[in-house]
Amino acid sequence: MSINASTPTVPAPETKLPKVGTTIFTVMSQLAADHDAVNLGQGFPDFDPPERLVEALARAMRDGRNQYAPMSGIPSLREAIAEKTERCYGYRPDVDAEITVTSGGSEAILDAIHAVVRPGEEVIVLDPCYDCYEPAIEMAGGVPVHVPLDPHTFAPDWDLIRAAVTPRTRMLMINSPHNPSGAMLNADDIAQLCALLRDSEIYLLSDEVYEHIVFDGARHESVLRYPELRERAFVISSFGKTYHCTGWKVGYCVAPPALSAEFRKVHQYNTFCTFAPAQFAFAEMIRDEPEHYLQLGAFYQPMRDRFREQLLTTRFKPLPVPGGYFQLVDYSAVSDLDDAEFCRWLAIEHGVAAIPLSPFYGTPPAGQRLVRLCFAKSEATRDAAIKRLEKL
Ligand code: PMP
């Protein structure tokens, strides 16, 4: 049968995700490329992963580790994750029932939400929040309920969160160290969180992808440290952040057996399994060089400190950075443009790409003059950016 040119064309689909466009990270990286700007926007290191890890990956591929991995992850990697988790947080998850290796933290977030959130159920997110949360909730038919963090300290307001809970609340999502602010939950927050969730059936999704990037001797309050919280939690990690290889997209989820079982039903028919050669490489790296993740804060701290010192020579005011690899700066002494306009102007006219905060909010706070800079960059990149910022 020939194709008839007059056949009515299929109408363009009515979008299921009307709020979703190109992500701000892609937009800013494109602007950076078009205008030869120093890219402190998208959150990735511009230096290489450890040589040993790259070697292990190449070896795994040469050794024929190129076919499907087991659905939940290769046993030696799940063993290594269990050991690492015990060492860091005093809890050893069950290797077979509680750990699932995923294609990055993003896949794990989507799987966890789809595993438990039904159409019409509410998920509380704390704004500003990472941009994949809301669409993941909406794709599951859930309703995102945005609760603002304190606009200055980015600490949770537990009274506000409590007030947002309804009989339809299915999940609360938290993120510490926090993207974009670097704020971290403290022991008091954990006590408040326990009190809030106690006697409820609300699940917790704890996004801990920056878990090892903490500064000044602070302790990362992983949900996995607390039996009362971990019994209802999906805890999400990313090797991309820990091993300077965001493009490999490998992460994992630790959750109790019943939650992991539902999580795996989604994972199994989403990706089925994660890039096998990298799993062998991470298993080896975690086992043979625990210093890497144990000293990641010490690795990044000089970068953070120097970047903050350099910022003092500009009119940008740096906010505190307890964890993560982002520096928020207040630009109100430089411009009164809103943050999205400011970032466009900064990239096009002054050659520095930054990320505005407003896309991280359901409703951005009026008059906020903050942008996010990533300091996980070589000294040359940071110096080049500071030189440009000093002119403003
Ligand atoms: N959560 C947060 C807070 C993030 O910043 C990121 C990555 N930028 C992710 C999740 C996703 O992690 P991955 O790149 O491993 O998918």
Side-chain angles (χ1 to χ4, degrees):
M1 209 170 86
S2 67
I3 296 171
N4 182 347
S6 67
T7 305
T9 49
V10 177
E14 189 186 329
T15 180
K16 290 175 70 181
L17 296 167
K19 285 186 258 171
V20 173
T22 309
T23 79
I24 188 62
F25 310 110
T26 307
V27 170
M28 291 312 304
S29 285
Q30 190 58 50
L31 264 186
D34 292 349
H35 297 276
D36 207 17
V38 183
N39 192 355
L40 301 189
Q42 204 167 3
F44 57 82
D46 72 349
F47 40 85
D48 289 329
E51 186 53 32
R52 176 180 204 154
L53 180 67
V54 175
E55 280 299 319
L57 175 65
R59 188 164 12 89
M61 289 193 278
R62 280 194 214 100
D63 287 351
R65 310 290 202 179
N66 298 301
Q67 309 310 326
Y68 295 127
M71 182 270 282
S72 60
I74 62 167
S76 60
L77 178 56
R78 284 184 282 114
E79 276 286 346
I81 291 169
E83 203 169 293
K84 166 178 177 290
T85 306
E86 183 170 32
R87 185 166 192 164
C88 292
Y89 308 129
Y91 172 66
R92 186 181 180 86
D94 186 278
V95 168
D96 294 322
E98 297 191 309
I99 300 168
T100 310
V101 178
T102 60
S103 299
S106 312
E107 191 220 307
I109 290 167
L110 188 101
D111 292 351
I113 291 168
H114 278 256
V116 295
V117 176
R118 293 183 166 77
E121 291 181 339
E122 294 172 0
V123 179
I124 298 177
V125 298
L126 308 181
D127 282 0
C129 69
Y130 187 55
D131 71 336
C132 80
Y133 295 1
E134 177 162 285
I137 296 163
E138 289 182 339
M139 281 189 269
V143 181
V145 175
H146 293 267
V147 176
L149 295 166
D150 181 285
H152 305 290
T153 63
F154 298 92
D157 179 331
W158 293 103
D159 290 333
L160 275 186
I161 298 170
R162 204 169 296 115
V165 171
T166 77
R168 291 178 303 282
T169 306
R170 186 68 162 170
M171 181 184 263
L172 166 65
M173 295 178 69
I174 57 173
N175 170 216
S176 177
H178 179 241
N179 177 7
S181 73
M184 289 170 60
L185 297 181
N186 59 30
D188 183 50
D189 292 312
I190 296 292
Q192 297 262 17
L193 183 58
C194 289
L196 175 77
L197 297 180
R198 200 170 291 146
D199 303 325
S200 84
E201 292 183 4
I202 300 171
Y203 295 112
L204 181 63
L205 188 154
S206 185
D207 178 344
E208 303 186 9
V209 301
Y210 298 100
E211 64 193 310
H212 298 298
I213 311 177
V214 301
F215 303 123
D216 308 314
R219 173 175 127 132
H220 167 55
E221 293 292 356
S222 174
V223 156
L224 293 171
R225 294 181 189 275
Y226 300 93
E228 187 179 348
L229 293 178
R230 69 175 179 250
E231 69 168 24
R232 61 173 79 236
F234 299 92
V235 179
I236 288 163
S237 297
S238 170
F239 292 127
K241 313 294 173 187
T242 301
Y243 290 100
H244 324 315
C245 53
T246 57
W248 295 15
K249 293 296 283 189
V250 184
Y252 60 95
C253 171
V254 176
L259 293 189
S260 286
E262 293 306 310
F263 179 95
R264 287 175 180 181
K265 289 181 187 173
V266 182
H267 167 69
Q268 174 162 283
Y269 291 109
N270 182 4
T271 57
F272 181 71
C273 68
T274 297
F275 182 53
Q279 296 196 42
F280 287 91
F282 286 125
E284 188 177 319
M285 184 75 192
I286 294 169
R287 192 189 56 225
D288 294 348
E289 204 178 312
E291 303 75 27
H292 177 89
Y293 63 80
L294 293 171
Q295 291 167 13
L296 200 60
F299 170 80
Y300 275 115
Q301 188 155 328
M303 282 187 217
R304 177 200 69 163
D305 291 347
R306 182 165 149 77
F307 190 58
R308 290 172 62 77
E309 257 167 45
Q310 288 177 306
L311 280 166
L312 297 179
T313 65
T314 74
R315 291 199 295 153
F316 292 83
K317 187 169 160 281
L319 271 60
V321 182
Y325 52 42
F326 300 113
Q327 171 69 65
L328 290 187
V329 291
D330 182 326
Y331 63 86
S332 53
V334 176
S335 165
D336 199 35
L337 290 173
D338 73 38
D339 62 354
E341 275 306 307
F342 178 75
C343 285
R344 282 183 60 79
W345 175 78
L346 190 65
I348 295 170
E349 302 295 333
H350 297 279
V352 178
I355 296 290
L357 253 57
S358 47
F360 291 73
Y361 284 91
T363 311
Q368 193 177 55
R369 298 285 178 262
L370 297 175
V371 293
R372 190 194 82 176
L373 304 174
C374 176
F375 58 80
K377 304 290 175 191
S378 67
E379 194 169 328
T381 309
R382 280 179 279 121
D383 288 355
I386 291 289
K387 245 196 194 130
R388 295 177 182 196
L389 297 179
E390 275 172 345
K391 295 198 182 117
L392 287 162

